[in-house]
Amino acid sequence: MAKSTDDRKERTRRIIRLLKGAYPDAKCTLNHSNAFELLIATILSAQCTDDRVNIVTADLFRKYRKAQDYLKVSPTELQKDIRTTGFFRNKAKSIQGTAKVLTEQYSGRVPETIEELLELPGVARKTANVVLGNAFGVTSGIVVDTHVTRLSRRLALTTQKQPEKIERDLIELVHRKDWVIFSHLLIAHGRKICKARNPLCAECVIEKLCPSSFLKTGVLPGS
Ligand code: SF4
């Protein structure tokens, strides 16, 4: 397997091309109808599946339509409304803290720069990148979640473990125009084929480009 940065860039380009062919509809799977809803859904998605978040937000977004609405209820009431997404006390705190800043400083709107988003309570790079890339079409970085972490490491696009460091490596390899779609592609592939426990290497469209393939190593790749 070639090791130079140029070779890795070329391999990454080919991986993206094949994944685009396999997942032509890859996109954000958190239901939302505006940037604010996407921000709330992304906060809720920490340590939770998108399917579960979508079940919760179907009711949540009917009850809370704008930032001010989250400030009209007690923390306990909001915790109850988001309970099944897990870590509900911290998430309720982040949502109400974020709603307060948006109401007081941005007239209820979601800011469109990464610096401003990172100032919001409970909003880290992953959430900021999701909102900017998917609600505003701004390529601020690459979303690194559990699937992107696992696949990037298996594909030897990074050796890092921390999301910020993984993102730094990926930004070097992925063309900027593909930063947003790249995460959606890896997430789609991670859910369907390159699963955490039992990756289906024999069915994988990028198997030839993957140094961790079970077919080459005879060893199931780690997570
Ligand atoms: S070959 Fe296996 S480990 Fe590599 S990306 Fe495909 S499914 Fe994942």
Side-chain angles (χ1 to χ4, degrees):
M1 189 63 57
K3 294 259 186 338
S4 80
T5 304
D6 279 351
D7 287 335
R8 280 195 302 147
K9 277 186 184 172
E10 173 56 19
R11 193 163 59 86
T12 305
R13 197 187 60 73
R14 289 167 64 199
I15 288 169
I16 292 171
R17 185 163 48 81
L18 289 166
L19 291 179
K20 279 181 178 175
Y23 307 100
D25 300 323
K27 61 176 190 278
C28 177
T29 51
L30 290 170
N31 292 341
H32 64 281
S33 60
N34 56 48
F36 178 64
E37 287 185 356
L38 181 57
L39 176 58
I40 300 298
T42 311
I43 291 173
L44 292 175
S45 73
Q47 309 288 321
C48 183
T49 65
D50 288 1
D51 286 344
R52 166 53 52 189
V53 172
N54 288 338
I55 290 169
V56 169
T57 55
D59 290 333
L60 195 75
F61 293 161
R62 268 196 290 273
K63 178 171 175 181
Y64 306 88
R65 294 188 178 271
K66 50 189 191 305
Q68 294 92 315
D69 296 339
Y70 287 94
L71 304 177
K72 291 177 186 159
V73 299
S74 68
T76 317
E77 182 172 344
L78 181 56
Q79 287 171 14
K80 196 163 135 270
D81 291 337
I82 62 171
R83 189 177 193 96
T84 58
T85 68
F87 301 95
F88 55 91
R89 286 189 192 87
N90 275 343
K91 288 178 183 177
K93 199 170 164 204
S94 295
I95 289 172
Q96 289 192 311
T98 285
K100 188 165 188 293
V101 176
L102 294 186
T103 303
E104 291 174 357
Q105 295 182 26
Y106 297 98
S107 310
R109 293 202 328 276
V110 178
E112 296 185 31
T113 70
I114 190 140
E115 293 77 15
E116 290 169 311
L117 280 166
L118 290 176
E119 291 290 315
L120 300 173
V123 173
R125 275 199 72 85
K126 180 187 152 218
T127 301
N129 281 334
V130 169
V131 172
L132 289 171
N134 296 284
F136 298 127
V138 174
T139 46
S140 55
I142 294 177
V143 172
V144 177
D145 75 344
T146 174
H147 296 291
V148 176
T149 297
R150 183 176 73 254
L151 269 71
S152 298
R153 288 171 52 81
R154 284 179 177 173
L155 289 163
L157 304 180
T158 185
T159 56
Q160 300 292 342
K161 290 185 175 164
Q162 291 172 5
E164 290 80 13
K165 291 182 179 171
I166 293 171
E167 184 184 2
R168 236 176 280 152
D169 283 347
L170 295 177
I171 278 172
E172 290 296 314
L173 298 174
V174 178
H175 195 287
R176 189 174 184 124
K177 73 173 171 50
D178 286 326
W179 283 2
V180 176
I181 193 68
F182 180 75
S183 297
H184 295 322
L185 292 169
L186 288 201
I187 290 167
H189 196 55
R191 284 184 178 139
K192 191 169 173 207
I193 303 290
C194 192
K195 302 174 187 197
R197 294 249 167 86
N198 287 308
L200 308 173
C201 300
E203 299 171 32
C204 177
V205 291
I206 51 174
E207 191 274 328
K208 286 194 169 47
L209 299 167
C210 178
S212 304
S213 164
F214 175 74
L215 307 187
K216 292 187 188 102
T217 65
V219 179
L220 274 178
S223 295

